[in-house]
């Protein structure tokens, strides 16, 4: 009979399908030893049973090692995952407010908030910023993976399976578990990179050091710093003749950013079977971006301040803090893990170079816009044991309780950023900027608030929280030597929308020494985000090629109730997957097929505006005018449960290790990911606003085709003692969008090639470098379907690109181990 369980954390031996990165976990081992090590590695996500080899794995998991991270050439954790994890996607947004600093990332082409992120097996808080532009991830607030320094990471485990019954809300698409370094010794490194265009300079450095505290303790510290320069692919433009000579008036690419991180991981043994642990960190990021250009003749600008017009310059600052403290011990036959995890993401906005036209020519040109804050505190008590129920093997039984507090704040900015000043009429009607002229109408009336990013007013400010309680039961056992079954059930209760019960069944059957089958079926849910329930703002965006003011309504706002919208409720899901795993010596292959259906997905609506019907016209009539809630507002939007979707996909992963006698080895990997998402139903709560307004054809296209349906990764790593050379091809399938009034446009599939190498100069020093996007691949240019966008500088589009606009990049890195 099989014995032995690891009760200290959630444990699982990895499956055969370990993505396109497993082989790199070899680090300095031989290829054969590395493959064996990967197959037998114990990870901490997906199950509570330990000592399991690859043949027993019930779900597909990708393992990304520290060595793979170091060889990637990436400058951030999400960029690294995009290169190395086959089902992970991150779109490069641009001119998108806070998303330029926190880009949306997803698994299996679902929403960024439908994947759960863990640190050392503990829930990670989300970001404060919610996406409201017409980009991938629209309407969601995911987890800011870029705030987690790569230097601190020992490995990453990606569970590609629905796991809400095990971990709670958000784990619909899967789970990303980041394991922090906890060993002795130190590493210091520095890296420099640049694009072949001569811009986008990046300079990074980091250090990690672990040391013992007496005989019982261990402390591992990480410091990381990154300074990334601007990379701009906007084409010069006169903006329809607004200026004489063409200039880059937009930022289409990547804004300059600066980031500093300090993280720690601590353990201390309190006797034979007890341990105190703590981990967490602080990351600060700052960035600058640009809004849309305002010409000097526009009534949003005063030529006395900006004779050639202005492209508002926006500043953003993110501060991210987290701390987990826990205690593990044994009580009788139970292993107990009690912990508290708290974290906060604070995101501040500012106008660096802008104006409030309604303040006249004396308007301030810089001001603080306000801040968004998301916080989360989670209390957990988990208990695991093994009991003999007379079956083939002992049965693992785990029970646990969780209490969580989610908090959300929206802080007001300086008055000038949101208020209406005393200059009603713009320059076209009032050249002197006089405050006494008041008989202008229509477009001659100045817009309140600062251009580029309008600040949050005191009426928008909020400080609220939500509490939830969860109870779960999880069990696993072998019915025979070759047949594993597992089940989980979870009850959760939220104080704002009620309770839910979800469950999961999974199994694994070994057919022979080489072949096995696995499968799972689960129900899941995602609680409405605090950001979705409470965010509001006044913003300026493009509407059929013209700048227009838009107000986002809170779902529980009186104005939303006038439009007959209900408050948000949870998203619910079903997830079914089946897989086959084959392993024969140096070759392994897995194929997993899955179906994920999600009901009542929360969406950020399209523009609700005049002219749709008489009820909406009356709504605007009631609240317009200089004293109204919709003063100068053309459109309103809202978060609402709007759609049902169905996603069918597959992951196929292959690995082959070739040993070269007396020379080294080559590890070949091929991973293919395919998914097809369809919006099966649109059904919103309002009887006034039509469904096609809430979720129009462009939003359907963004969900169904905004992320690549196909992704192929082929790589080879040549290990020649003191040299390691890696080549990787990543193929991204086509994407389609119809953003901001443009017709449907399909951006063709692209293949990117990376070549990296590392030379171990000594046992302590190694030098590495590489060429990323070797063939200098860019997305298709927009062309005729872009409407006005090519004319204003958007050469490569806007809404949906699964890779950077940087083109070819070079980097060099030096690492010293001590």
């Amino acid at each position: 009979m099989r014995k032995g369980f690891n009760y200290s954390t959630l444990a699982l031996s990895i499956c055969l399908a370990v993505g396109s990165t497993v082989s790199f976990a070899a680090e300095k081992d031989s290829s054969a030893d590395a493959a064996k090590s990967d197959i037998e590695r114990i990870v901490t996500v997906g199950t509570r049973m330990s000592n399991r080899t690859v043949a027993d794995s019930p779900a597909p998991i990708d393992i990304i090692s520290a060595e793979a991270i170091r060889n990637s050439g990436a400058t951030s954790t999400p960029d690294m995952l995009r290169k190395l994890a086959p089902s992970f996607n991150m779109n490069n947004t641009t001119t998108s407010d806070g998303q330029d600093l926190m880009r949306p990332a997803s698994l299996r082409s679902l929403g960024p908030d439908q994947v759960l992120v863990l640190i050392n097996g503990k829930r990670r808080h989300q970001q404060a910023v919610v996406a409201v532009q017409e980009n991938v991830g629209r309407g969601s607030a995911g987890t800011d993976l870029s705030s987690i320094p790569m230097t601190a990471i020992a490995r990453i485990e990606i569970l590609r399976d629905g796991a809400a019954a095990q971990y709670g809300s958000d784990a619909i698409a899967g789970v990303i578990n980041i394991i922090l370094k906890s060993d002795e010794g130190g590493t210091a490194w520095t890296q420099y990179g640049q694009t072949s265009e001569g811009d986008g300079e990046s300079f990074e450095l980091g250090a990690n050091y672990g040391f013992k505290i007496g005989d019982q303790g261990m402390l591992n510290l990480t410091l990381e710093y990154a300074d990334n320069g601007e990379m701009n692919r906007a084409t010069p433009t006169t903006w329809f003749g607004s200026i004489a000579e063409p200039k880059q008036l937009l930022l289409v690419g990547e804004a300059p950013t600066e980031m500093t991180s300090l993280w720690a991981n601590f353990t201390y043994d309190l006797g034979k079977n007890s341990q105190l642990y703590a981990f967490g960190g602080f990351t600060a990021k700052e960035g600058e971006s640009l809004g849309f250009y305002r010409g000097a003749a526009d009534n949003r600008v005063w030529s006395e301040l900006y004779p050639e017009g202005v492209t508002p310059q926006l500043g953003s600052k993110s501060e991210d803090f987290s701390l987990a403290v826990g205690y593990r011990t044994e009580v009788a036959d139970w292993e107990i893990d009690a912990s508290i995890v708290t974290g906060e993401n604070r995101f501040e906005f500012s106008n660096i170079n802008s104006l409030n036209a309604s303040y006249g020519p004396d308007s301030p040109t810089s001001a603080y816009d306000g801040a968004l804050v998301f916080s989360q505190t989670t209390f957990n008590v988990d208990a695991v044991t093994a009991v003999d129920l007379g079956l083939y093997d002992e049965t693992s039984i785990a029970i646990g309780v969780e209490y969580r507090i989610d908090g959300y704040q929206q802080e007001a900015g300086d008055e000038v950023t949101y208020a209406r000043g005393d200059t009603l009429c713009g320059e076209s009607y009032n050249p002197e900027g006089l405050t006494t002229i008041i008989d202008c109408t229509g477009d001659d009336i100045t817009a309140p608030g600062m251009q580029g990013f309008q600040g949050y007013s005191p009426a928008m400010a909020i400080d609220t929280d939500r509490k939830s309680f969860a109870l779960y039961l999880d069990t696993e056992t072998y019915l025979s030597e070759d047949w594993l079954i597992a089940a989980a059930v979870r009850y959760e209760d939220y104080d704002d929308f009620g309770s839910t019960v979800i469950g999961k069944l999974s199994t694994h059957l070994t057919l022979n020494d080489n072949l096995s089958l696995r499968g799972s079926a689960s129900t899941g849910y995602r609680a409405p985000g605090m950001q979705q329930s409470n965010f509001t703002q006044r913003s300026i965006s493009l509407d059929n090629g013209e700048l227009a003011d838009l107000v986002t309504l809170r779902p529980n706002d009186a104005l939303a109730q006038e439009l007959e919208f209900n408050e948000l409720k949870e998203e619910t899901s079903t997830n079914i997957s089946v897989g086959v795993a084959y392993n024969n010596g140096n070759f392994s292959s897995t194929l997993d097929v899955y179906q994920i259906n999600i009901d009542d997905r929360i969406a950020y609506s399209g523009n609700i505006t005049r002219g749709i019907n008489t009820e909406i016209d009356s709504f605007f009539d009631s609240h317009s005018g200089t004293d109204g809630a919709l003063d100068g507002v053309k459109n309103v939007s809202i978060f609402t449960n709007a759609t049902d979707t169905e996603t069918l996909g597959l992951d196929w992963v292959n690995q082959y290790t070739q040993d070269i006698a007396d020379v080294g080895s080559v590890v070949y990997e091929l991973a293919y990911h395919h998914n097809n998402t369809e919006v099966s139903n649109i059904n919103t709560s309002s009887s006034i606003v039509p469904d096609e307004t809430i979720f129009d054809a462009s939003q359907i296209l963004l969900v169904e085709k905004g992320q690549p349906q196909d992704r192929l990764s082929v790589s080879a790593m040549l290990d020649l003692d003191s040299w390691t050379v890696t080549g990787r091809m990543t193929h991204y399938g086509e994407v389609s969008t119809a953003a901001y009034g443009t017709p449907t446009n399909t951006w063709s599939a692209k293949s990117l090639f990376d070549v990296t190498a590392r030379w171990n100069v000594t046992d302590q020093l190694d030098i590495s470098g590489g060429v990323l996007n070797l063939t200098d691949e860019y997305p298709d240019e927009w062309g005729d379907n872009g409407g006005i966008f090519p004319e204003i500088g958007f050469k490569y589009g806007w809404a949906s690109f699964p890779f950077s606009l940087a083109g070819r990049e070079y980097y060099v890195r030096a690492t010293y181990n001590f």
Side-chain angles (χ1 to χ4, degrees), residues 45-60:
V45 64
T47 184
R48 291 166 172 81
M49 209 168 185
S50 69
N51 298 334
R52 182 178 300 155
T53 65
V54 63
D56 301 321
S57 304

Side-chain angles (χ1 to χ4, degrees), residues 346-489:
R346 177 183 178 86
F347 202 99
E348 297 180 353
F349 296 93
S350 61
N351 280 286
I352 300 174
N353 188 39
S354 182
L355 81 161
N356 182 333
S358 69
Y359 274 54
D362 295 328
S363 170
T365 57
S366 62
Y368 170 66
D369 290 310
L372 304 174
V373 184
F374 179 79
S375 62
Q376 186 174 86
T377 300
T378 306
F379 303 85
N380 278 101
V381 178
D382 304 306
V384 186
T385 192
V387 298
D388 190 348
L389 298 179
L391 302 173
Y392 174 78
D393 194 5
E394 289 182 325
T395 300
S396 168
I397 296 178
I399 59 174
V401 294
E402 178 180 290
Y403 180 73
R404 191 166 75 245
I405 304 172
D406 297 327
Y408 182 79
Q409 298 177 53
Q410 187 165 347
E411 299 178 1
D414 294 339
E415 184 177 7
V416 67
T417 66
Y418 59 82
R420 168 171 287 284
D422 55 7
T423 304
L424 181 66
C425 299
E427 187 168 0
S428 63
Y429 192 86
N430 178 20
E432 302 298 322
L434 301 177
T435 62
T436 54
I437 298 180
I438 59 173
D439 56 348
C440 52
T441 60
D443 292 339
D444 292 329
I445 298 177
T446 57
M450 296 197 81
Q451 297 299 303
F453 191 97
Q454 297 192 22
Y456 306 134
S457 69
M460 296 177 177
I462 194 172
D463 186 351
T464 186
D465 61 40
R466 174 179 67 195
K467 301 174 181 65
S468 64
F469 170 80
L471 175 67
Y472 77 82
L473 171 66
D474 199 336
T475 182
E476 303 178 32
T477 193
Y478 282 91
L479 297 181
S480 70
E481 183 178 2
D482 300 318
W483 188 14
L484 166 73
I485 61 169
V489 62

Side-chain angles (χ1 to χ4, degrees), residues 296-308:
D298 194 314
N299 279 321
R300 295 174 181 272
V301 177
W302 291 95
S303 57
E304 183 177 331
L305 282 174
Y306 298 107
E308 294 188 349

Side-chain angles (χ1 to χ4, degrees), residues 38-290:
D38 287 329
I39 289 172
E40 295 180 348
R41 186 192 294 269
I42 303 299
V43 299
T44 57
V45 64
T47 184
R48 291 166 172 81
M49 209 168 185
S50 69
N51 298 334
R52 182 178 300 155
T53 65
V54 63
D56 301 321
S57 304
I61 296 179
D62 301 325
I63 301 294
I64 301 177
S65 72
E67 185 75 355
I69 295 170
R70 187 168 63 173
N71 283 342
S72 69
T75 58
S76 69
T77 296
D79 185 40
M80 173 268 298
L81 286 169
R82 177 168 57 182
K83 293 177 181 294
L84 302 179
S87 60
F88 181 91
N89 183 64
M90 180 183 73
N91 275 60
N92 275 66
T93 61
T94 186
T95 317
S96 299
D97 300 333
Q99 289 183 84
D100 291 353
L101 206 62
M102 296 178 175
R103 292 200 164 95
S106 64
L107 281 180
R108 293 182 162 182
S109 293
L110 296 179
D113 52 7
Q114 290 164 339
V115 56
L116 176 63
V117 176
L118 309 175
I119 304 290
N120 286 351
K122 304 296 182 181
R123 177 180 285 265
R124 173 77 172 171
H125 62 274
Q126 293 179 322
Q127 65 195 42
V129 174
V130 61
V132 293
Q133 303 289 354
E134 290 194 30
N135 301 319
V136 169
R138 176 179 168 91
S140 65
T143 301
D144 181 21
L145 292 166
S146 66
S147 66
I148 304 169
M150 291 191 294
T151 309
I153 300 174
R155 69 181 187 276
I156 298 176
E157 308 160 355
I158 301 178
L159 172 65
R160 291 183 273 118
D161 196 21
Q166 296 158 296
Y167 297 106
S169 179
D170 307 336
I172 291 177
V175 179
I176 298 176
N177 185 27
I178 297 174
I179 306 299
L180 302 178
K181 293 179 180 177
S182 59
D183 52 352
E184 288 186 81
T187 299
W189 64 273
T190 183
Q191 178 170 315
Y192 174 81
Q194 189 182 61
T195 73
S196 60
E197 295 290 325
D199 60 1
E201 282 190 306
S202 63
F203 172 73
E204 295 96 25
L205 58 85
N208 175 266
Y209 183 61
F211 57 93
K212 286 187 175 181
I213 301 175
D215 294 330
Q216 293 82 32
M218 173 65 68
L219 179 62
N220 189 283
L221 299 172
T222 296
L223 174 65
E224 188 171 292
Y225 172 81
D227 186 1
N228 299 310
E230 178 181 299
M231 181 275 293
N232 195 352
R233 298 292 175 262
T235 52
T237 174
T238 64
W239 205 276
F240 311 108
S242 296
I243 58 175
E245 297 295 329
K247 295 181 180 179
Q248 278 187 326
L249 297 178
L250 295 176
L251 175 62
V252 180
E254 298 179 12
T257 60
E258 186 174 11
M259 182 177 74
T260 303
S261 295
L262 178 62
W263 279 58
N265 191 17
F266 166 80
T267 58
Y268 195 87
D269 295 332
L270 301 173
K272 182 179 179 181
N273 299 313
S274 299
Q275 184 184 71
L276 178 69
Y277 62 89
F279 58 86
F282 176 80
T283 297
K285 292 189 294 181
E286 292 190 47
E288 295 180 5
S289 61
L290 300 178

